[in-house]
Amino acid sequence: MSSLLYLIAIILVIGWIVGAFVYSVGGLIHILLVLAVIAILFRLIGGRTV
């Protein structure tokens, strides 16, 4: 489950980067970034290294 959470976080960060440079969707890009950061924080709080 933790590796799945890390994978989702990586996908969201990549989606945010692609969206920031290719598409101008506005708030959706920032929501993706926030979700990725939250996923990474959950992984860190769980006691595992990123």
Side-chain angles (χ1 to χ4, degrees):
M1 182 67 178
S2 63
S3 62
L4 179 64
L5 187 62
Y6 184 65
L7 178 66
I8 291 171
I10 296 298
I11 290 171
L12 289 173
V13 168
I14 290 171
W16 175 75
I17 291 169
V18 169
F21 293 113
V22 177
Y23 304 105
S24 295
V25 181
L28 180 64
I29 295 166
H30 299 292
I31 292 171
L32 288 175
L33 178 63
V34 169
L35 289 175
V37 169
I38 289 172
I40 291 171
L41 286 176
F42 275 130
R43 185 170 172 92
L44 290 174
I45 289 171
R48 297 172 186 87
T49 59
V50 175

